[in-house]
Amino acid sequence: MIARFKDLCLDAADAPALGAFWGRILDAEVVDLGDGDVRVDPGRTGAGAESIWVNRVPEPRTVKTRVHLDLRLPDADPAALVEAGARVVREPDAEISWWVLADPEGNLFCAFGPREGERPGPFELVVDSADPAAEAAWWSRVVGGTAHTSDKGYAYLTGAAGFPWQYWVFDPVPERKTVKNRLHWDVDLVDNDPTALIRAGATLLREPDDAISWWILADPEGNEFCAFPPRPTE
């Protein structure tokens, strides 16, 4: 294991407004960070692996979201999500058994009906992939856990260090990544620098500087992620 899953970061044109939406649908606390950004804490206990940092960026969303959350609904339909500001993009049909929705800035996410024994809220992180099996295997080497493959073409990871949801899914898509992901994840490093990550196949995009104290890297398919030094032990 080279790192632990830390949290998610979501780009936004209007971070407070988008953060407020996700706070409503996740029944979460929205923390104003004082710089135009916000943090959504579903656990209401401060920043943790379930937190979503919503960061203001100048560029708008231009393509389909390649990273998204899947939510388990408390009710039989997503009416409460629509009332909170979501838009239905696709309803269940002969091909899919879930709803595809968009948040107020057009970021797609999926909503599934209730299931006995599962609590409402996020249960999967889904990443579009050209080679799902290779992506799952690579991330299992980085954050531990077990990589699984499906006869339907997707792959998924369970038991990753620090990962707060049931499944980390890599879904096959025909289109390649062309622009920066609007949603990305952060990791906490085991070592003091990302040398082991780079040796494993990550690409270094930016080093710590006067503006940031972490490294920005990309996985083998170009998905950006941030790597932070180990947290001080108390």
Side-chain angles (χ1 to χ4, degrees), residues 61-219:
R61 187 189 65 83
T62 56
V63 299
K64 171 195 170 191
T65 314
R66 289 183 67 87
V67 183
H68 72 266
L69 282 170
D70 284 351
L71 309 184
R72 181 69 64 189
L73 294 170
D75 304 310
D77 63 58
L81 301 185
V82 174
E83 184 177 351
R87 173 174 55 88
V88 175
V89 176
R90 183 177 178 182
E91 296 187 352
D93 54 33
E95 295 181 359
I96 64 172
S97 59
W98 57 89
W99 290 265
V100 179
L101 300 106
D103 71 14
E105 292 202 4
N107 301 300
L108 301 181
F109 64 99
C110 297
F112 292 70
R115 178 177 290 177
E116 186 176 355
E118 291 188 10
R119 65 182 178 89
F123 71 98
E124 293 182 338
L125 178 65
V126 183
V127 184
D128 287 354
S129 305
D131 189 337
E135 276 284 275
W138 191 83
W139 276 103
S140 73
R141 292 194 294 273
V142 171
V143 294
T146 304
H148 310 262
T149 56
S150 164
D151 57 9
K152 295 182 179 179
Y154 65 86
Y156 62 99
L157 197 58
T158 58
F163 192 74
W165 303 295
Q166 289 175 279
Y167 308 107
W168 190 345
V169 179
F170 299 90
D171 205 26
V173 296
E175 67 275 7
R176 294 283 180 160
K177 180 177 178 293
T178 57
V179 300
K180 172 190 172 190
N181 287 335
R182 300 288 285 187
L183 181 65
H184 75 265
W185 53 93
D186 296 338
V187 300
D188 282 321
L189 295 169
V190 172
D191 297 328
N192 290 322
D193 62 57
T195 300
L197 266 174
I198 295 167
R199 287 176 177 166
T203 300
L204 179 62
L205 302 179
R206 182 178 176 181
E207 297 189 74
D209 53 33
D210 292 340
I212 63 172
S213 59
W214 56 88
W215 293 266
I216 302 176
L217 301 104
D219 72 10

